[in-house]
Amino acid sequence: MDTAFFLRWIAVVTERVRAERDHLTDLDRAIGDADHGVNLDRGFTAVEEALAGRSPETPADVLTTTGTTLIRKVGGASGPLYGTLFRTLGRSVGDVAEVSREALAEAFAQGLAAVMKLGSAQEGDKTMIDALAPAIPEMRTSFDAAARAALDGARATTPLLARKGRASYLGERSIGHQDPGATSMAIVIDALRAA
Amino acid sequence: MVGIVLVSHSAGLAEEAAALAVGIAGEDAPIRPAGGTEDGDLGTSLTKLEEAVAEVDQGDGVVLIMDLGSAVLTARAFVEDRADVVLADAPFVEGAVNALVTAGTGAPLDAVVAAAEEARTIGKLC
C-alpha cells in the first residue's frame, strides 16, 4: 500500500465520520457527553485540510500528519487517543514508500499498545480498544476479516459495564448501550476495505 | 523555579483555580491555566497547553495538574516528547495549591510533584 492508499483511507474515514456524525453523537448522548461525532468530524475535517495543504510524500507522513492534527483539533478525549494511534502507525511503518498488510498489522499492534497505555485501558473496559484489539490479528488475513472483527467487537460492547472514559461515571447505567468510541473505531477499520 | 500548568475541560475552572492558588500560595512561582477548547467550549486544547507551558517554563521543569478525561489524555500525549514536563496525579484544586506553595520555595521538580500528589491523602473532614 502506497501513499495514495493511505490518503484514500483517511478520505473515506473523513467521509464516513461526517455521515455518521449524528449517530455517533447520539450514542455518546446515552452514556457520555454527546460530542463524539461532532468532535471527530471537526478533527477529520481539519485533517482533510492539513493533508490537502501538505501533499505528503510517504505513508508515514500521511499517518503522522493525521495523528498530530487530531490531537490538536478534536478537543475531546478521542483526540489524543486517535491521534496517538495514527502517530504510532506513522512511526511504526517508517520512512518507506510501500507498506505491506503485515507491516500495517504490526504497526496497528504497536498503536494498540500506545492507546492502551495512554488511556490506562484494557480490552473489555467498553472503549475503542474493544473494536481495535480483535481486528489486529485478522488484519494479517484480510481487511475484510479485520472489518468484521472490529464491527463485532463494537457490537459486543453493548452489554459491558464501562470502566474507562466518561461512561464509567455512569456505572451500571452504562450497560445496554453500544460504546461510541468502539463504534467510530469500527468505522476507521472498515474504511481500510474501501481505500 | 518550577512552573505549574492547570489543565482543565473548562477555561473558567482553570483560570479560577489558578487565581485561588495564587491567592493562597502567592506568586513566587509561575502558574498558568490551560482550560477549554480554542473555541471556548468544554474540552482540552493542546495549543493552549503548549502556550501555558512555554509561559511558565524557567528551565527547572513544569508540573501539569489535570482535572479529568480529555485533560488527562491531552496532557499525557503532550509529555511523551517532553522529559522536563511531569504529570501530577493529584486533586485539581488542592494539588494546585500544594504545588504552588512548594514551587514557591524554590523546591525541585520531583518535590513539587510529590507535594501536589500528597494532597490526595489529606482528608477534608478528618
Side-chain angles (χ1 to χ4, degrees):
Chain A
M1 284 113 39
D2 58 4
T3 304
F5 170 90
F6 286 95
L7 284 170
R8 285 197 302 276
W9 176 36
I10 301 302
V12 173
V13 172
T14 304
E15 186 185 305
R16 295 211 180 145
V17 162
R18 194 166 293 149
E20 294 291 319
R21 183 182 62 184
D22 293 346
H23 176 226
L24 291 170
T25 291
D26 285 346
L27 291 174
D28 193 29
R29 182 171 292 117
I31 56 171
D33 51 1
D35 64 3
H36 189 55
V38 174
N39 281 347
L40 273 193
D41 183 26
R42 176 172 53 231
F44 277 101
T45 298
V47 167
E48 199 172 39
E49 286 163 16
L51 290 173
R54 190 180 169 85
S55 307
E57 288 176 3
T58 62
D61 195 2
V62 176
L63 295 164
T64 306
T65 302
T66 300
T68 303
T69 307
L70 290 175
I71 293 179
R72 203 165 279 289
K73 294 295 179 188
V74 168
S78 52
L81 291 166
Y82 274 112
T84 295
L85 174 64
F86 281 104
R87 285 201 330 183
T88 308
L89 292 179
R91 220 176 3 250
S92 175
V93 299
D95 190 21
V96 293
E98 294 264 348
V99 179
S100 68
R101 212 179 51 233
E102 291 70 27
L104 186 61
E106 175 52 34
F108 261 101
Q110 291 184 23
L112 170 66
V115 170
M116 288 173 76
K117 182 164 171 254
L118 180 65
S120 305
Q122 306 290 325
E123 250 187 290
D125 284 348
K126 198 177 182 102
T127 71
M128 56 171 64
I129 288 165
D130 294 322
L132 178 57
I136 294 170
E138 301 298 329
M139 201 176 283
R140 296 176 202 278
T141 314
S142 72
F143 286 148
D144 283 345
R148 269 195 303 276
L151 208 59
D152 288 346
R155 290 198 186 108
T157 60
T158 302
L160 296 178
L161 172 75
R163 290 201 198 86
K164 288 288 166 191
R166 191 70 58 89
S168 65
Y169 301 169
L170 294 175
E172 299 280 331
R173 280 179 293 148
S174 66
I175 293 171
H177 301 277
Q178 185 167 319
D179 182 65
T183 308
S184 60
M185 182 62 77
I187 292 173
V188 168
I189 293 168
D190 187 68
L192 282 167
R193 295 196 294 174
Chain B
M1 292 275 177
V2 171
I4 298 157
V5 174
L6 303 183
V7 192
S8 169
H9 266 64
S10 153
L13 179 59
E15 279 159 23
E16 289 303 323
L20 174 63
V22 167
I24 295 171
E27 232 171 334
D28 295 326
I31 184 167
R32 293 284 183 282
T37 66
E38 283 162 64
D39 309 331
D41 294 330
L42 292 180
T44 313
S45 158
L46 181 62
T47 305
K48 283 190 175 185
L49 174 56
E50 286 168 344
E51 287 169 359
V53 168
E55 282 178 25
V56 301
D57 186 0
Q58 300 182 347
D60 298 316
V62 175
V63 178
L64 307 185
I65 299 174
M66 306 75 70
D67 60 357
L68 42 82
S70 66
V72 178
L73 294 169
T74 303
R76 268 191 153 173
F78 174 78
V79 299
E80 269 191 13
D81 313 321
R82 290 285 302 259
D84 60 328
V85 182
V86 178
L87 308 180
D89 192 349
F92 194 63
V93 175
E94 296 89 334
V97 173
N98 272 18
L100 191 57
V101 168
T102 307
T105 67
L109 183 60
D110 57 348
V112 178
V113 173
E117 295 186 342
E118 221 176 71
R120 288 170 74 92
T121 62
I122 301 169
K124 292 183 187 181
L125 300 177
C126 59

